[in-house]
Amino acid sequence: MTRGRWLIAYCLALGALGWLWLLARLGAGPVWPLVLLFVALALLVESAGFRAPPSDSHSLVGILLLAAALALGAPTGALAAALAALIFGVLLPLLYGRPRTFYLLAARPLLRSGVRAIGILLGGALADALAPDPARLFARVLCFALCYTLVVQGNRAVRELLQGGRTGVVSWFRSAWRPALSAEIAPLPLAALGAAIYLRLDLIFFVLAGAALLSGSLAVRRAALNLQRQRRSVRELALLNEVSRAIIRAELNVEALSELIYREAGKVVDTSSFHLGLFEPGSDRYTLMIRVQDRVRLPPLAVDLPSGDGIVGWMRETGRALLVEDFVAEMERLPARPRYQSDHPPRSGIYVPLIAGETVIGSISIQSYQPGAFDADDMRLLSLIADQAAIAISKARAFAEARGRALQLQAIREVSERITAILDLDALLPSVVWLIHERFGYQPVHIFTLEENGDLVFRASTAEGEALERLRRLSINRGNGIVGAAATSGEPVLVSDVRQDARYIGDDWHTLSELAVPLRFGDTTIGVLDVQSAEVGRFAQSDLFVMRTLADQIAVAIESARAFSAQREEAWTLNSLLQVAENIARAATLDDLLPATVRLPPLLLGCDRCYCLIWNRDHASFTVLAAYGLTADLRAAFVGSSFDELDAPLLAEARRTAAPLELAHANERTYMCRPLLDRFGGAALLALPLTARGAMLGMLVADYDDAAHRFTARETTLYSGIANQVAGALESALLAQEAAEAARLDEELRVAREIQTTLLPAVVPNLPGWDIAADWRSARLVGGDFYDFWRLPARQGDKAARRQAGAEQTEGPLQPGAPAPQPAEGAELGFVVADVSDKGIPAAMFMTLSRSLVRAAALDGSSPGVALSRANRWITRDSESSMFVTLFYGIVQPATGVLRFSCAGHNPPLLFRAADASVAELTTHGMALGVLEDAPLGEAEVTMAAGDVLVCYTDGLTEAINAAEEAFGVERLVAVLTQQHAASAAELVNAINAALRRFTERPPFDDLTLVVIKRQPE
């Protein structure tokens, strides 16, 4: 919406608001004779007002309007004020000959009347609130004066803002604040006197007071006009001096200068309607830089104005100023007919040329809708301002031209610097054309490069849309067109009018002139820089110099970019391999390695999918370890699946040759790798064997959707480098995985050994008269040997003896790991030494089962043969491992030394007889437990005398071998027993172990268990 429309909308809205409020406040019918009396007096007083341009007219009517409000009440006074303002507003343009527009005849009168009604009604509301007593006349008039002043003056400020913007408000305030303060605001308290005369004296006295107010108004008008003339005379030189200084100090910018001239001219003359226009050098283009119509700021306007056309054209031709007092009366005598740009032309005006030297560069004009609004003094003042303005504008234009030349030279340097800083050819050429366009204004700008076959290939342009597409389809050879001519001759070709040159190829109908400059590197032409224009003769010698300089810089930059591209490609290859190495090195586990393995080829080389397969030699198949480029569902279904090598001849051949193998148009030969092509529909495959130290680990496969994709030598080299690094990392990850599994198994074995150790007795039993020692060592972390002790219930024949000795006890079974209980005198002690047929974890598990079943079978006090037969049945039934256990089970009666025993296929223990130093083997018929369910087991009995020693052992002792592959054997054990029989049981165990260590330094091949029971001498 324009300023004029906003202004009319504001007038109608606020005026209607004032009238609506007034009608709402009017009660019973007002006393119309009194209202009309006040209206008549208000019209007379307001007509005697004065005007200080560009503000509204000023008068003493406010005194009369506030007196009416005080005397008749706020609603009636507001009615009189609104009617007087409406009537005077309608008559004002008719009396002064102003245009009869809707704004002047309707909108503005409505605004004046509504605003005055609002001011008086608001004052009445404030007076009723602060001074409701009618006797407080002066306080009430102050309330009315405050509200009336704020509303009326505020409305004027808003109206000026809508009309002329911030500049209009400033101009209005500067010209209106003094007369408004002195003639309208300061006298308002006199309304209290007028109201008092009306209320306390006869009407005749009020009429006389009105006549006195009218006389005072006329006197104020005369004084104001005289003061204006005096001030105008006094201020002219000061204002002109101020204007000159402001213009001289102003920024050397034409737009800023034009704004300043308008603002400064408003200090000297009425600029309610003001025009400042400038001619473009060397043309008839005339631009109204500042266009103000009836204080409404209009946008700039550019027109073609030949010399001699209109008043402005006449001024440009003659260089003379023109004063028109009344266009209607002087139209026939004017030296030129005006070219109005308004539907309501002015009645008077001043037109002054802006002359710089001998050239008219523009004009300044002011107009008025009143005839005779300006005189010769106004023209003289405006001419003085115009002289200063013309000099300043001329300097600003010269400065702009010099600055443009400097910017052009600076732009050449900047473009050259930026060109040389870009080493990417694909980024260089588009940047060059747009830099030239931005810095020099050429449009369009093209670059063509010369290929080895002589064709000129389009590389970059500032053209867009269809023009750009035409350029891409354009085929130019040497000697063809203006560009081809420049490429052939190696010299610039400048065509001022392409319509007159047969070489021109009509690729763009806007083009009227063209300049083509070859890009030369040394003596070789490598391309052409081409600029075009829609103006005939656009390019001059200065443009040729600029373009040749830029062309030389561009040629060097192109060659540098090409060399850089070659080096960058090599560096990129090395960097890509380095990135692969870094990403693979960061993968600590196989789970980390596999995603990186299949993600890097798509990121670095652009394949659509990538798969990593592991080779299973035993089944001649591939298993998918990882995949990239698939949806989550497809990947979940594909990873972990296996397929036979025969289903993928491509992979089979790559594995056989251990060399990369590519397959183009794979979608036409899906049989070459059906597990991939049938499922995902790839169009080009590259199979890369993953080999480490000559061993085939698997396959890395790159999959492309583009059937025409060709694997360049650089791509194949990169893929092979990636495959080699992946193969090494994959081998390391697999080994690390195996090592981690082994470590986990070792930890489990360590825990199993701890558990197994807790199953063995923590200490040996302490029997009075007996010395017992034991030793257990496994060949691995866990073993199959075990030994155990437990107490048995006394037999019936022994109970009387125990009662006589007073030593009968009732104790539970021996708990593994708990201190050995002290058996009562006469209680029997059962012990077992066993050896499971295997070693390691299976033997340890079978050992646990066997120990539990043997202990359960023996704790009821059964004889050794019966207990072992029962245990054999349980072991045979519960075990399906085909393992067996050999053991020796004996029951010692501490008091008598009787040893009842049964040997189930175990190494016979050695019994040393102290009486004759003989050694006997204790054995019975029978076989290992767990072989046959009903295997017969024998039982025997011996008596151990004082000093006798029983040595129970497993084959890990006697079958230990030395470096000569000799076994330790029973003979060496007997020799140690014979020599050390007098030692304690623990010392004897140590002596046997020492002898074994002397015999062999090899680690134990089998589990070893020793139990030594010695009856102490009395």
Side-chain angles (χ1 to χ4, degrees):
M1 187 181 291
T2 62
R3 288 180 180 270
R5 293 180 182 272
W6 278 112
L7 181 61
I8 291 175
Y10 169 73
C11 293
L12 296 178
L14 194 59
L17 177 63
W19 276 100
L20 289 174
W21 191 10
L22 174 60
L23 295 176
R25 288 294 309 276
L26 285 175
V31 183
W32 283 105
L34 295 177
V35 171
L36 294 178
L37 173 63
F38 277 96
V39 169
L41 289 175
L43 291 174
L44 290 174
V45 172
E46 194 158 15
S47 63
F50 65 93
R51 182 169 178 267
S55 64
D56 292 336
S57 60
H58 306 282
S59 67
L60 302 177
V61 71
I63 300 173
L64 186 63
L65 298 179
L66 294 189
L70 292 169
L72 305 178
T76 304
L79 176 62
L83 289 175
L86 183 64
I87 296 171
F88 188 79
V90 173
L91 295 177
L92 189 62
L94 300 177
L95 294 175
Y96 290 98
R98 302 187 70 179
R100 299 179 182 181
T101 63
F102 177 78
Y103 168 69
L104 293 176
L105 291 176
R108 188 165 176 181
L110 180 64
L111 175 67
R112 289 165 61 92
S113 60
V115 166
R116 290 188 180 181
I118 291 173
I120 292 177
L121 291 174
L122 194 61
L126 183 63
D128 291 341
L130 300 180
D133 186 3
R136 299 180 60 188
L137 194 58
F138 189 74
R140 291 177 64 83
V141 77
L142 289 180
C143 293
F144 276 103
L146 177 62
C147 294
Y148 181 80
T149 299
L150 291 176
V151 173
V152 172
Q153 301 303 328
N155 165 66
R156 290 178 178 176
V158 173
R159 193 186 67 203
E160 292 297 336
L161 180 64
L162 293 174
Q163 283 183 312
R166 179 177 176 275
T167 304
V169 175
V170 172
S171 300
W172 165 79
F173 182 77
R174 287 177 175 174
S175 61
W177 75 272
R178 288 187 181 89
L181 180 62
S182 59
E184 293 188 345
I185 300 174
L188 286 179
L190 294 175
L193 178 61
I197 292 174
Y198 176 82
L199 294 172
R200 299 174 184 175
L201 300 177
D202 292 335
L203 185 60
I204 187 62
F205 292 103
F206 180 74
V207 173
L208 292 175
L213 181 62
L214 178 60
S215 300
S217 297
L218 293 174
V220 170
R221 173 190 174 91
R222 214 168 21 250
L225 293 177
N226 290 334
L227 182 61
Q228 285 181 14
R229 283 193 292 269
Q230 291 174 5
R231 286 181 176 174
R232 183 173 180 178
S233 299
V234 171
R235 291 186 322 185
E236 277 185 3
L237 292 176
L239 287 174
L240 288 173
N241 187 37
E242 182 182 346
V243 169
S244 298
R245 286 199 305 269
I247 293 174
I248 291 172
R249 292 195 304 266
E251 178 184 357
L252 290 178
N253 178 276
V254 175
E255 289 77 12
L257 270 172
S258 300
E259 191 71 33
L260 177 65
I261 292 167
Y262 164 60
R263 191 166 61 247
E264 296 299 324
K267 300 176 181 178
V268 180
V269 295
D270 183 4
T271 55
S272 300
S273 294
F274 179 88
H275 289 170
L276 188 153
L278 298 175
F279 291 102
E280 292 184 11
S283 70
D284 293 332
R285 196 71 172 169
Y286 180 72
T287 302
L288 284 169
M289 308 294 293
I290 304 295
R291 191 159 66 110
V292 180
Q293 200 75 24
D294 196 22
R295 278 185 278 181
V296 176
R297 186 70 175 266
L298 302 176
L301 177 67
V303 296
D304 290 327
L305 189 62
S307 181
D309 187 5
I311 294 178
V312 176
W314 171 80
M315 283 193 300
R316 186 184 187 189
E317 189 176 57
T318 61
R320 294 167 56 189
L322 178 65
L323 169 63
V324 181
E325 295 183 352
D326 190 346
F327 276 103
V328 176
E330 301 177 27
M331 186 63 72
E332 299 300 328
R333 300 193 301 273
L334 293 178
R337 293 274 181 174
R339 289 182 55 179
Y340 294 119
Q341 299 296 329
S342 172
D343 296 334
H344 305 288
R347 291 289 299 274
S348 60
I350 297 176
Y351 300 85
V352 178
L354 296 173
I355 303 175
E358 301 295 331
T359 305
V360 176
I361 63 173
S363 69
I364 295 177
S365 63
I366 56 176
Q367 298 91 27
S368 175
Y369 293 106
Q370 299 180 13
F374 307 107
D375 55 19
D377 289 337
D378 294 322
M379 187 170 70
R380 176 175 57 82
L381 294 174
L382 195 59
S383 296
L384 292 173
I385 295 174
D387 291 340
Q388 297 292 334
I391 295 172
I393 291 174
S394 178
K395 289 182 178 179
R397 282 183 166 178
F399 174 75
E401 183 178 354
R403 183 174 58 182
R405 182 69 64 183
L407 289 175
Q408 186 181 51
L409 296 175
Q410 181 181 358
I412 292 175
R413 181 179 62 83
E414 181 181 347
V415 171
S416 299
E417 290 177 353
R418 294 181 64 178
I419 286 174
T420 54
I422 301 175
L423 295 177
D424 184 354
L425 192 61
D426 293 333
L428 169 66
L429 299 181
S431 298
V432 166
V433 296
W434 283 107
L435 279 172
I436 293 174
H437 167 66
E438 292 171 3
R439 293 294 181 266
F440 303 103
Y442 302 137
Q443 175 67 16
V445 183
H446 312 309
I447 288 182
F448 299 85
T449 56
L450 190 62
E451 302 300 318
E452 293 181 359
N453 59 2
D455 291 340
L456 284 164
V457 178
F458 165 75
R459 297 300 299 270
S461 175
T462 58
E464 297 176 340
E466 281 188 25
L468 182 59
E469 293 301 322
R470 286 196 300 270
L471 281 169
R472 288 174 175 165
R473 295 191 299 266
L474 192 63
S475 178
I476 303 177
N477 299 322
R478 281 197 178 192
N480 185 15
I482 295 175
V483 173
T488 301
S489 64
E491 296 293 333
V493 178
L494 192 157
V495 180
S496 298
D497 190 347
V498 297
R499 295 172 296 183
Q500 308 301 322
D501 196 310
R503 297 173 296 180
Y504 175 68
I505 299 175
D507 61 317
D508 190 347
W509 63 270
H510 295 96
T511 300
L512 293 178
S513 58
E514 185 171 0
L515 173 59
V517 181
L519 304 175
R520 295 180 60 82
F521 184 76
D523 296 330
T524 305
T525 299
I526 62 174
V528 176
L529 174 63
D530 181 67
V531 293
Q532 301 174 10
S533 175
E535 301 177 16
V536 175
R538 165 66 176 82
F539 304 110
Q541 290 302 313
S542 59
D543 298 296
L544 180 59
F545 169 77
V546 169
M547 297 305 294
R548 292 189 72 163
T549 304
L550 291 175
D552 292 340
Q553 296 291 334
I554 294 170
V556 173
I558 289 176
E559 287 302 310
S560 299
R562 285 175 174 172
F564 172 75
S565 296
Q567 296 175 359
R568 183 180 60 180
E569 184 172 340
E570 181 179 358
W572 185 83
T573 301
L574 297 176
N575 184 60
S576 298
L577 293 176
L578 178 61
Q579 289 184 33
V580 172
E582 290 177 348
N583 280 270
I584 289 177
R586 285 196 293 266
T589 64
L590 190 62
D591 292 337
D592 296 333
L593 173 65
L594 292 176
T597 298
V598 295
R599 185 179 67 251
L600 289 172
L603 292 178
L604 296 176
L605 294 166
C607 62
D608 297 291
R609 288 168 295 280
C610 185
Y611 320 104
C612 182
L613 316 174
I614 194 73
W615 168 247
N616 189 328
R617 184 185 301 275
D618 296 335
H619 298 88
S621 64
F622 288 100
T623 300
V624 183
L625 291 183
Y628 184 84
L630 306 178
T631 63
D633 294 340
L634 288 176
R635 184 171 60 252
F638 188 51
V639 173
S641 63
S642 300
F643 56 86
D644 195 275
E645 183 185 40
L646 298 177
D647 295 333
L650 174 70
L651 305 185
E653 182 65 16
R655 184 194 63 79
R656 187 184 65 80
T657 60
L661 192 63
E662 63 182 73
L663 178 67
H665 298 284
N667 51 350
E668 300 174 3
R669 294 184 287 172
T670 57
Y671 63 88
M672 292 295 292
C673 194
R674 289 193 181 280
L676 300 181
L677 297 175
D678 285 349
R679 184 174 294 189
F680 309 121
L685 296 180
L686 178 64
L688 299 146
L690 302 177
T691 58
R693 291 182 289 186
M696 169 61 62
L697 298 179
M699 198 73 62
L700 189 67
V701 182
D703 188 358
Y704 287 82
D705 287 331
D706 183 10
H709 182 81
R710 291 293 181 270
F711 294 95
T712 64
R714 181 177 68 87
E715 278 185 318
T716 305
T717 300
L718 274 174
Y719 271 121
S720 298
I722 292 174
N724 291 335
Q725 296 191 57
V726 168
L730 184 60
E731 181 189 35
S732 300
L734 291 174
L735 292 175
Q737 189 178 46
E738 293 177 1
E741 183 66 21
R744 183 185 63 81
L745 183 59
D746 287 345
E747 178 63 18
E748 292 178 355
L749 289 174
R750 185 188 63 78
V751 175
R753 179 183 177 86
E754 293 177 358
I755 295 174
Q756 187 179 30
T757 303
T758 60
L759 296 177
L760 300 174
V763 295
V764 297
N766 184 12
L767 292 177
W770 294 82
D771 186 11
I772 303 174
D775 186 24
W776 176 87
R777 281 177 290 169
S778 62
R780 302 179 185 177
L781 286 176
V782 292
D785 286 8
F786 69 93
Y787 69 95
D788 203 355
F789 301 94
W790 53 78
R791 286 167 299 167
L792 298 173
R795 290 180 297 172
Q796 294 295 328
D798 296 327
K799 291 184 179 179
R802 287 199 301 274
R803 281 196 299 269
Q804 293 175 2
E808 183 177 6
Q809 299 181 21
T810 55
E811 298 180 2
L814 180 67
Q815 297 298 322
Q822 303 303 317
E825 182 180 356
E828 294 181 333
L829 174 69
F831 67 93
V832 65
V833 176
D835 182 6
V836 176
S837 61
D838 201 354
K839 294 180 284 297
I841 294 177
M845 296 179 66
F846 196 77
M847 165 262 186
T848 304
L849 172 68
S850 302
R851 173 188 175 277
S852 299
L853 295 178
V854 170
R855 188 182 183 95
L859 283 177
D860 64 347
S862 298
S863 64
V866 174
L868 292 186
S869 296
R870 185 186 303 133
N872 178 56
R873 289 194 298 272
W874 292 346
I875 292 173
T876 305
R877 293 171 184 174
D878 292 346
S879 173
E880 298 180 358
S881 62
S882 300
M883 298 178 68
F884 58 88
V885 57
T886 66
L887 57 84
F888 177 86
Y889 174 42
I891 301 175
V892 176
Q893 187 176 30
T896 63
V898 174
L899 171 64
R900 289 178 295 134
F901 63 91
S902 179
C903 186
H906 194 71
N907 300 81
L910 301 178
L911 177 61
F912 177 83
R913 296 289 189 179
D916 56 4
S918 63
V919 177
E921 292 184 342
L922 302 184
T923 183
T924 63
H925 71 274
M927 60 188 305
L929 306 187
V931 178
L932 296 176
E933 182 175 350
D934 296 325
L937 293 171
E939 182 176 321
E941 180 178 300
V942 296
T943 301
M944 293 181 64
D948 290 353
V949 179
L950 177 66
V951 177
C952 303
Y953 62 93
T954 60
D955 57 4
L957 174 63
T958 57
E959 294 180 2
I961 59 176
N962 59 11
E965 300 296 327
E966 298 174 340
F968 184 76
V970 176
E971 292 79 7
R972 290 183 175 85
L973 177 60
V974 170
V976 175
L977 176 59
T978 302
Q979 294 173 4
Q980 301 292 330
H981 70 277
S984 67
E987 291 172 345
L988 184 56
V989 169
N990 292 335
I992 295 172
N993 287 332
L996 180 62
R997 286 194 296 271
R998 289 192 299 270
F999 175 74
T1000 179
E1001 295 180 355
R1002 290 186 176 185
F1005 174 77
D1006 199 358
D1007 303 332
L1008 186 152
T1009 302
L1010 272 174
V1011 173
V1012 176
I1013 301 176
K1014 180 178 181 179
R1015 187 170 187 181
Q1016 295 177 344
E1018 296 181 357

